[in-house]
Amino acid sequence: MLDICDTKIWRKNRMNDMTKKCYQLARDLTICRIVNGMWQVAGGHGYIDQELAITDMMRYHDAGFTSWDLADIYGPAEDFIGQFRGRVLTLKGKEELERIQALTKWVPQPGRITRSIVKENIERSLRRMSVSSLDLLQFHWWDYNNPYYMDALKFLSDLRDEGIIKHIGLTNFDTERMQIMIDSDIQVVSNQVQYSIIDRRPEVKMIPFCLENNISLLSYGSICGGLVSERYLERREPSTADLDTLSLRKYKKVIDAWGGWNLFQELLLTLKRIAQKYNVSIANVATRYILDKSAVAGVIIGVRLGISDHRNNNTQVFNFNLAKSDSDDIDAVCTKSNDLFETIGDCGDEYR
Ligand SMILES: NC(=O)c1ccc[n+]([C@@H]2O[C@H](COP(=O)([O-])OP(=O)(O)OC[C@H]3O[C@@H](n4cnc5c(N)ncnc54)[C@H](OP(=O)(O)O)[C@@H]3O)[C@@H](O)[C@H]2O)c1
């Protein structure tokens, strides 16, 4: 019998799965390739009603969107997972809980990190999420000049070996630091980074590195907070005041750095033309484009629980494939843009 742990076979299986809905992030962790992003419940994205939010989480789950991206610092996100799991247990029974993947983060303030600090923080997440082990703990570190991130990763690895954490992932780490981790035998399964048609920084160093080291990418910002959609097609340039979520404001700045509103409109027109061919939306084409990239396990799409709902539309991502000529047309627009690797740097450098 073939051993799924064998890296070569496992990687081949992952690739065969590319157009499908699921991705095997680790031997015992398979996720939906569209992951529900919960930063949107942390404030700055409209008022989130707790009851409506939990009800909405059940709808995502029932539609097959069973994977959630969250963090200890995303307001009530971890508590929502705990409450949602309680609701699932009551309504559907224990077995259904197995279908949920909750990928949280630990985002400590840089400083001296001890074993007990790590344990305390991870145990808090376990309690809030009402789980006995974390599916994936994605680690963020604000300041590379502070070397304690390597201590934190060693203590996290101990917790993984004890079974409290199933897998360790990273978020916003650059290639240079990931190489240091590999050299120190720290095992990580993923890195979560900003990756979109307009922000292609991962392609320069991160993706080749990930392929070499069997690490997957989880991508965010792939539809730029909703700017990559029909809603902004042939629209005048919005001012900051016009943009009513933190996410829209964040990615409008990325568009400005990339090439500005006129070039962005050219991109939206190209995406619309492709979308019409397949009877899908602009956001679907942008998501599909990133999902088709090497090393990408999933695209995280933010969900404003109880406020807006793109479930049905986002399901379309799994129902079509882009032709090479479509990708070529998208890439042709991007050749006119600035190189964000040159202006910002490697993945995550925008946070440092
Ligand atoms: N690690 C990090 O540092 C980091 C940073 C940022 C984000 N993230 C993760 O990534 C997640 C996504 O956040 P993001 O800021 O990148 O936002 P995003 O996913 O680019 O945008 C989410 C917004 O896009 C709109 N949308 C979704 N599907 C759509 C569709 N089919 N058609 C049209 N519009 C659609 C919705 O806007 P409306 O609600 O207005 O309709 C939604 O609120 C976060 O929740 C978080 O989990 C991580």
Side-chain angles (χ1 to χ4, degrees):
M1 203 175 106
L2 294 180
D3 181 3
I4 198 77
C5 299
D6 181 288
T7 305
K8 279 192 199 123
I9 295 165
W10 182 23
R11 195 183 285 177
K12 183 165 164 280
N13 286 345
R14 279 176 173 180
M15 293 305 164
N16 289 344
D17 228 16
M18 268 309 181
T19 54
K20 297 197 193 133
K21 212 175 162 184
C22 297
Y23 187 97
Q24 193 175 6
L25 196 57
R27 192 166 32 82
D28 56 350
L29 180 59
T30 298
I31 60 165
C32 176
R33 297 197 74 203
I34 293 183
V35 180
N36 308 311
M38 296 186 81
W39 174 42
Q40 277 68 12
V41 306
H45 289 86
Y47 173 71
I48 305 291
D49 178 279
Q50 180 189 321
E51 182 52 35
L52 286 179
I54 306 300
T55 302
D56 226 9
M57 287 176 83
M58 190 64 91
R59 294 194 184 113
Y60 278 90
H61 179 85
D62 288 340
F65 295 113
T66 56
S67 305
W68 301 86
D69 179 72
L70 56 151
D72 59 338
I73 58 163
Y74 287 179
E78 290 190 336
D79 307 307
F80 279 10
I81 289 290
Q83 289 160 29
F84 168 60
R85 284 175 56 83
R87 181 83 58 94
V88 169
L89 182 64
T90 308
L91 295 181
K92 295 173 185 271
K94 206 172 164 195
E95 274 185 13
E96 191 69 16
L97 290 176
E98 301 296 318
R99 291 187 59 226
I100 305 168
Q101 301 85 40
L103 322 175
T104 194
K105 306 186 191 82
W106 181 40
V107 187
Q109 285 306 315
R112 186 162 169 258
I113 299 284
T114 62
R115 189 179 296 274
S116 63
I117 289 175
V118 176
K119 197 153 190 248
E120 218 172 87
N121 279 278
I122 298 307
E123 282 175 348
R124 185 182 306 121
S125 290
L126 292 173
R127 275 195 306 277
R128 291 178 72 191
M129 293 164 66
S130 186
V131 290
S132 55
S133 67
L134 300 178
D135 293 324
L136 180 72
L137 187 278
Q138 303 164 98
F139 176 61
H140 177 97
W141 190 251
W142 295 105
D143 178 12
Y144 295 142
N145 292 321
N146 182 315
Y148 284 109
Y149 70 92
M150 286 301 286
D151 287 359
L153 281 163
K154 280 178 193 138
F155 296 138
L156 287 170
S157 303
D158 292 343
L159 293 183
R160 187 216 26 234
D161 296 343
E162 287 169 29
I164 294 170
I165 295 169
K166 290 192 186 112
H167 300 284
I168 297 173
L170 304 167
T171 179
N172 298 315
F173 270 92
D174 67 4
T175 318
E176 189 186 329
R177 271 72 195 186
M178 286 176 71
Q179 183 65 59
I180 295 172
M181 292 171 204
I182 294 288
D183 293 343
S184 306
D185 281 335
I186 301 282
Q187 285 167 27
V188 300
V189 301
S190 59
N191 190 22
Q192 182 181 135
V193 295
Q194 187 169 297
Y195 189 15
S196 65
I197 291 171
I198 66 168
D199 184 357
R200 293 151 173 269
R201 286 174 296 151
E203 292 170 9
V204 183
K205 288 166 83 179
M206 185 57 69
I207 288 178
F209 175 85
C210 286
L211 291 174
E212 185 62 34
N213 292 287
N214 200 26
I215 294 170
S216 300
L217 291 177
L218 290 164
S219 157
Y220 65 82
S222 305
I223 55 169
C224 297
L227 286 161
V228 181
S229 72
E230 279 75 3
R231 209 186 316 164
Y232 292 92
L233 177 66
E234 296 182 316
R235 278 265 312 269
R236 68 168 176 81
E237 181 168 3
S239 66
T240 306
D242 294 331
L243 300 172
D244 63 357
T245 68
L246 289 180
S247 185
L248 287 167
R249 289 184 197 159
K250 175 182 169 81
Y251 298 113
K252 173 62 170 55
K253 287 187 195 145
V254 181
I255 291 168
D256 294 344
W258 171 77
W261 196 250
N262 287 342
L263 187 59
F264 183 64
Q265 285 302 315
E266 193 180 329
L267 177 63
L268 287 186
L269 277 170
T270 302
L271 294 175
K272 182 65 188 172
R273 193 178 40 71
I274 297 167
Q276 278 169 333
K277 233 168 67 174
Y278 301 108
N279 203 16
V280 296
S281 70
I282 288 177
N284 294 158
V285 174
T287 306
R288 184 75 261 165
Y289 181 88
I290 296 299
L291 281 179
D292 289 346
K293 294 289 183 182
S294 301
V296 172
V299 166
I300 307 167
I301 298 186
V303 288
R304 295 208 290 158
L305 295 169
I307 298 180
S308 62
D309 159 20
H310 299 278
R311 271 187 301 273
N312 288 342
N313 185 251
N314 286 335
T315 302
Q316 294 303 319
V317 170
F318 301 119
N319 295 336
F320 76 107
N321 286 305
L322 291 172
K324 181 168 181 313
S325 58
D326 301 325
S327 301
D328 290 347
D329 290 350
I330 293 169
D331 295 347
V333 179
C334 294
T335 56
K336 301 175 199 169
S337 72
N338 299 318
D339 181 345
L340 295 187
F341 190 90
E342 263 175 28
T343 52
I344 302 176
D346 198 1
C347 298
D349 281 2
E350 65 274 31
Y351 288 100
R352 289 162 185 113

